[in-house]
């Protein structure tokens, strides 16, 4: 192996060792807020709550059983939209649905239910990461159980973004060892990409997300140059106040509903090195990187799960794990 390989392996090992001695608690800031939604809330009311609080997901609480009841994410709203399309005559029924109907909506449209995984906050972070990768969950609630009462408490939610940020901020000496380029380590997806044009309808873009099981569709022009990206969270403002008409509009129009401070998209090239991706994660709120060539033409997509997977399990398979 070349010295580059050796350094890369050394960096990866150090990061994995770090994740094994840290817990999910360590990732949480000293002080934070957590918005938990009661499952008796009307689904249409929750949109305004998320927007008002500038969040895109929330843990659910069943106050009848006094138990944690899963996580509300943009996937649930995409399910609601699919329900609306499949049963257009049931608009008034849809308006009356509460969060505790989400599972029924899933069933009605034949969506595969998302496994509700949670981890205990004091388990090793490495374990939480492996759970994320095996279940494809992009975020996992941290649920603690009171020894005496057996009562469950949702402490917080950790996301792939938070974990990668935590690695980036606390491991600079290790991430700088990751000098191989994106091309060399084949990070991300190239070929058979789901893309849209500015004039693609929101409904079509949602259809692509469902079919590919992804949460981001790059938007390109006629020359395949990257213009922007439509994300699963962008559907939330589209159906606020039960305004399902907006879905017939274009993704170009839908992007105008984004909050002022939305960070936009991050790009990189195949010549960039993994350590520079960690630099970007350290400095900004990145949810994925879109790979372009020198002429800004779309080449591929690197999701946070692609990065997490590489950092956690690259090379492990051949080691017999
Ligand atoms: P995201 O939530 O950003 O869509 P995922 O973790 O769901 O990311 O991505 C799952 C896989 O799909 C990843 O390997 C990623 O590279 C790939 N992927 C992401 N976006 C697209 C796209 N628009 N077209 C094809 N594949 C994609």
């Amino acid at each position: 192996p070349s010295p580059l390989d050796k350094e890369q392996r050394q960096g990866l090992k150090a990061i994995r060792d770090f994740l094994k001695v840290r817990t999910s608690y360590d990732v949480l800031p000293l002080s934070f807020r957590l918005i938990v939604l009661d499952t008796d809330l009307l689904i249409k009311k929750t949109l305004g709550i998320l927007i008002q609080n500038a969040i895109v997901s929330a843990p659910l609480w069943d106050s009848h059983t006094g138990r944690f009841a899963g996580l509300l994410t943009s996937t649930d709203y995409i399910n609601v939209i699919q329900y609306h399309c499949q049963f257009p005559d049931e608009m008034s029924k849809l308006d009356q649905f509460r969060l505790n109907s989400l599972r029924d909506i899933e069933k009605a449209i034949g969506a595969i239910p998302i496994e509700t995984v949670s981890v205990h906050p004091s388990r090793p972070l490495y374990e939480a990461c492996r759970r994320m990768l095996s279940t494809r969950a992009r975020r996992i609630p941290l649920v603690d159980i009171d020894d005496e009462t057996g009562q469950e408490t949702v402490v917080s939610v950790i996301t792939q973004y938070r974990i990668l940020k935590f690695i980036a901020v606390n491991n600079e000496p290790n991430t700088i060892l990751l000098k191989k380029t994106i091309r060399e380590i084949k990070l991300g997806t190239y070929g058979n990409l789901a893309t849209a044009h500015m004039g693609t309808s929101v409904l079509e873009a949602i259809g692509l997300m469902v079919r590919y099981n992804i949460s981001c569709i790059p938007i390109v022009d006629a020359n395949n140059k990257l213009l922007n990206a439509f994300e699963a969270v962008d559907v939330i403002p589209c159906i606020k106040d039960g305004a399902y008409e907006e879905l017939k509009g274009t993704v170009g129009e839908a992007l105008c509903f984004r909050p002022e401070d939305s960070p936009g998209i991050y790009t990189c090239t195949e010549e960039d090195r993994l350590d520079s991706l960690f630099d970007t994660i350290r400095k900004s709120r990145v949810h994925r990187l879109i790979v372009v060539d020198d002429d800004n033409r779309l080449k591929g997509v690197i999701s946070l799960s692609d990065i997490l997977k590489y950092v956690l399990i690259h090379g492990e398979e051949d080691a017999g794990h």
Side-chain angles (χ1 to χ4, degrees):
S2 69
L4 209 64
D5 276 321
K6 207 175 148 211
E7 270 198 334
Q8 184 97 0
R9 251 193 316 211
Q10 203 184 326
L12 291 174
K13 178 165 189 313
I15 295 173
R16 288 169 196 167
D17 288 345
F18 169 81
L19 293 172
K20 286 174 186 165
V21 297
R22 295 302 155 96
T23 69
S24 300
Y25 260 130
D26 297 326
V27 183
L28 302 181
L30 276 183
S31 128
F32 60 91
R33 65 174 189 168
L34 179 69
I35 294 162
V36 178
L37 301 183
D38 191 295
T39 50
D40 281 338
L41 271 169
L42 286 173
I43 295 178
K44 66 171 184 192
K45 291 256 167 82
T46 61
L47 291 155
I49 299 176
L50 295 187
I51 294 169
Q52 229 168 44
N53 290 288
I55 52 175
V56 292
S57 103
L60 303 177
W61 185 257
D62 183 333
S63 49
H64 303 282
T65 59
R67 299 195 56 156
F68 161 67
L71 204 59
L72 174 73
T73 71
S74 48
T75 304
D76 294 303
Y77 295 111
I78 288 179
N79 288 343
V80 169
I81 292 168
Q82 285 181 280
Y83 184 96
H84 170 67
C85 294
Q86 289 184 26
F87 309 99
D89 302 332
E90 297 192 8
M91 200 55 204
S92 54
K93 191 171 157 199
L94 190 62
D95 261 356
Q96 293 312 310
F97 274 142
R98 296 174 191 277
L99 288 174
N100 51 29
S101 320
L102 285 174
R103 296 292 89 89
D104 300 329
I105 294 176
E106 240 168 31
K107 260 190 226 136
I109 60 165
I112 302 159
I114 302 168
E115 204 186 330
T116 318
V117 283
S118 62
V119 292
H120 192 281
S122 42
R123 297 295 304 165
L125 195 50
Y126 185 81
E127 211 176 287
C129 295
R130 293 298 291 247
R131 285 295 282 287
M132 271 184 170
L133 294 177
S134 65
T135 59
R136 296 206 54 192
R138 295 170 184 112
R139 47 184 79 232
I140 295 189
L142 303 175
V143 178
D144 202 348
I145 297 169
D146 188 301
D147 287 340
E148 276 165 32
T149 61
Q151 180 72 29
E152 289 183 318
T153 320
V154 187
V155 177
S156 184
V157 177
I158 49 165
T159 60
Q160 295 178 344
Y161 166 71
R162 280 236 203 158
I163 293 173
L164 286 170
K165 182 91 152 185
F166 184 67
I167 294 174
V169 168
N170 294 288
N171 275 272
E172 217 169 332
N174 300 324
T175 56
I176 54 168
L177 298 175
L178 307 174
K179 295 202 187 84
K180 289 193 149 191
T181 63
I182 303 305
R183 190 194 296 281
E184 282 172 306
I185 62 174
K186 300 191 181 67
L187 190 66
T189 301
Y190 304 81
N192 195 23
L193 293 174
T195 62
H197 295 291
M198 279 298 180
T200 304
S201 78
V202 172
L203 273 180
E204 274 175 78
I206 291 174
L208 285 173
M209 287 186 198
V210 173
R211 216 165 334 124
Y212 282 74
N213 192 10
I214 49 175
S215 60
C216 170
I217 311 287
I219 304 175
V220 292
D221 70 8
N223 298 314
N224 204 31
K225 297 213 177 178
L226 181 69
L227 300 174
N228 211 321
F230 185 75
E231 298 174 58
V233 294
D234 290 320
V235 307
I236 295 177
C238 287
I239 55 170
K240 185 177 173 251
D241 309 321
Y244 291 88
E245 311 82 63
E246 304 285 0
L247 297 172
K248 298 206 181 79
T250 66
V251 290
E253 288 157 0
L255 294 179
C256 304
F257 301 137
R258 274 189 183 163
E260 294 273 314
D261 59 348
S262 115
I265 52 172
Y266 290 90
T267 60
C268 66
T269 72
E270 286 178 278
E271 268 49 71
D272 284 333
R273 305 184 323 195
L274 187 52
D275 67 338
S276 74
L277 261 51
F278 271 106
D279 272 339
T280 310
I281 295 171
R282 192 174 296 126
K283 291 180 203 130
S284 353
R285 228 184 139 70
V286 190
H287 290 291
R288 69 195 46 81
L289 291 123
I290 303 195
V291 187
V292 292
D293 68 10
D294 293 336
D295 290 324
N296 198 36
R297 264 190 283 267
L298 175 68
K299 301 289 284 185
V301 178
I302 302 175
S303 71
L304 297 186
S305 67
D306 293 328
I307 303 177
L308 203 58
K309 194 179 288 163
Y310 179 82
V311 168
L312 255 85
I313 50 189
H314 175 79
E316 290 265 296
E317 297 92 339
D318 13 300
H321 289 279

